[in-house]
Amino acid sequence: MATVLFISIYAFSQIPLTVSPSGGNKKASVTERIGLTDVTIHYDRPGVKGREGKIWGQLVHAGFIDQGFGNSKSAPWRAGANENTTFEFSTPVKIEGQDLPAGKYGFFIAYDPQECTLIFSKNSTSWGSYFYNDKEDALRVKVKPSTLDKSVEWLKYEFMNETENSATVALVWEKLMIPVKIEVDYVTAQLESFRKELRTEKGFIWESWNQAAAWCVQLNVNLDEALLWADSATSQNFGGDRSFLAWSTKAQVLEKLNRTAEADSIMKKTTAFANMNEIHQYGRQLLQQKKTKEALDIFKINFQKHPNQFTTLMGLVRGYSANGDYKNALKYANQALPLAPDNNNKNNVTTMIEKLKAGKDVN
């Protein structure tokens, strides 16, 4: 029994207690989503600690060196402290315009004051850069560092210059910034996400199919598949066969595919179960497309279904005005004025009346 107890104690003694990182460095991570791509960086943050002017080219060595430990005789900087820095991408990305598959990578920098070499390694688990092997490189890119006016005490990675499908990640420390541009194929990732989610419980309702189709219309992409999604959205099986919104989306897809006659036919039929505001918005949409005659016809249908309502009166104002019939537009504007629901709408109608009296279009 005593021997067993001794072995157990010895085994547990090999498990170290949790302490803060050596050297007073700070563990950190930062994650940001670019499009649908999650970019996660894990790193340790060294401090300047009074070593201004002795960081770059000294503490952070230039190029590749033999650090005197490990099996790497030509090692870059580990782009942080302690354990090596890692970048993780949930989808394929472009780094400075070059392709990099989804995955987790060790990140290293060969510093040079004129042009730094950034290295994404397939090996993300080694400690620091002591075991760096260039045969494990997944990608190398070169970037220009830039100087900063104010010193940054603790090394950090931050995202900047964000757009829908790109961002710059910058390593910032002391008075230097090393940026790298990351780009994603947002459209491809979003379409793949739609296809996957539409096969789950989310695909049992018409709203999901409509959302996917409408997104394609907005970006003018993937229209043939979008039409199939719109077909599902408007089918009785998914419950959207009486939805003006679903049919409207399908008509927009057909319009993008230059099947205008089919689109117009759909919209005329579906006004039968559209509400007042839906018909009004469709009329406004036609005005934006410069289909002024068609818009006026829709506004007239809305007025017949919902007579003497502020919204339908204003539809006729816009419809007649867009077709150059300012006399009729003015007549309906005067009828709409006392029905205005608030001061903003009342002021808007008053402005329209003045324009119509001057022979100007209100749209």
Side-chain angles (χ1 to χ4, degrees), residues 63-99:
F64 298 82
I65 66 168
D66 183 347
Q67 299 178 95
F69 181 81
N71 57 16
S72 178
K73 304 305 179 184
S74 181
W77 178 47
R78 55 188 150 184
N82 300 336
E83 302 169 30
N84 68 324
T85 300
T86 63
F87 274 63
E88 188 168 6
F89 308 99
S90 63
T91 73
V93 297
K94 285 184 181 293
I95 306 293
E96 293 292 324
Q98 298 188 46
D99 291 325

Side-chain angles (χ1 to χ4, degrees), residues 318-339:
R318 290 188 178 279
Y320 279 114
S321 177
N323 283 276
D325 187 347
Y326 300 134
K327 180 179 179 181
N328 269 317
L330 180 60
K331 180 180 76 172
Y332 289 110
N334 284 321
Q335 293 180 34
L337 183 60
L339 300 178

Side-chain angles (χ1 to χ4, degrees), residues 19 27 32 150 153 244 253 288 299 326:
V19 296
K27 278 195 171 300
E32 186 153 318
K150 295 182 179 180
E153 175 64 23
F244 178 81
V253 176
Q288 292 173 0
F299 288 134
Y326 300 134

Side-chain angles (χ1 to χ4, degrees), residues 21-146:
S22 63
N25 301 316
K26 301 175 181 295
K27 278 195 171 300
S29 65
V30 59
T31 298
E32 186 153 318
R33 179 166 288 188
I34 308 172
L36 290 183
T37 303
D38 290 324
V39 180
T40 301
I41 308 167
H42 287 278
Y43 63 105
D44 284 64
R45 304 179 65 191
V48 176
K49 301 176 183 177
R51 297 173 290 187
E52 285 84 358
K54 299 179 181 179
I55 299 294
W56 300 102
Q58 297 184 47
L59 180 65
V60 175
H61 60 81
F64 298 82
I65 66 168
D66 183 347
Q67 299 178 95
F69 181 81
N71 57 16
S72 178
K73 304 305 179 184
S74 181
W77 178 47
R78 55 188 150 184
N82 300 336
E83 302 169 30
N84 68 324
T85 300
T86 63
F87 274 63
E88 188 168 6
F89 308 99
S90 63
T91 73
V93 297
K94 285 184 181 293
I95 306 293
E96 293 292 324
Q98 298 188 46
D99 291 325
L100 185 65
K104 188 175 184 179
Y105 299 91
F107 180 65
F108 306 100
I109 297 177
Y111 167 72
D112 182 277
Q114 300 303 318
E115 189 176 58
C116 296
T117 300
L118 311 187
I119 303 166
F120 293 85
S121 171
K122 298 173 186 176
N123 187 336
S124 64
T125 58
S126 294
W127 208 95
S129 57
Y130 297 111
F131 307 95
Y132 169 75
N133 185 339
D134 61 5
K135 291 183 175 59
E136 297 172 332
D137 288 358
L139 179 67
R140 287 190 179 194
V141 297
K142 294 183 180 294
V143 301
K144 294 185 181 299
S146 59

Side-chain angles (χ1 to χ4, degrees), residues 237-350:
N237 287 339
F238 294 101
D241 55 312
R242 299 287 293 177
S243 167
F244 178 81
L245 179 60
W247 284 105
S248 176
T249 298
K250 181 173 181 176
Q252 290 177 61
V253 176
L254 289 167
E255 185 75 32
K256 290 282 188 179
L257 291 169
N258 296 317
R259 294 163 63 174
T260 303
E262 292 176 70
D264 290 343
S265 176
I266 284 175
M267 294 310 296
K268 288 177 181 177
K269 291 178 182 177
T270 54
T271 54
F273 46 82
N275 64 40
M276 179 180 69
N277 287 326
E278 287 173 334
I279 298 175
H280 182 76
Q281 289 304 316
Y282 175 52
R284 294 289 299 271
Q285 178 185 319
L286 290 172
L287 287 180
Q288 292 173 0
Q289 297 171 355
K290 307 301 182 184
K291 297 180 178 180
T292 57
K293 183 180 181 301
E294 294 87 344
L296 179 56
D297 290 340
I298 290 298
F299 288 134
K300 286 179 178 179
I301 290 172
N302 209 16
F303 184 75
Q304 290 169 2
K305 292 180 65 175
H306 309 280
N308 301 316
Q309 299 292 313
F310 177 75
T311 297
T312 57
L313 286 166
M314 290 305 298
L316 290 176
V317 172
R318 290 188 178 279
Y320 279 114
S321 177
N323 283 276
D325 187 347
Y326 300 134
K327 180 179 179 181
N328 269 317
L330 180 60
K331 180 180 76 172
Y332 289 110
N334 284 321
Q335 293 180 34
L337 183 60
L339 300 178
D342 53 47
N343 285 332
N344 285 336
N345 277 288
K346 185 172 290 186
N347 292 336
N348 187 38
V349 177
T350 301

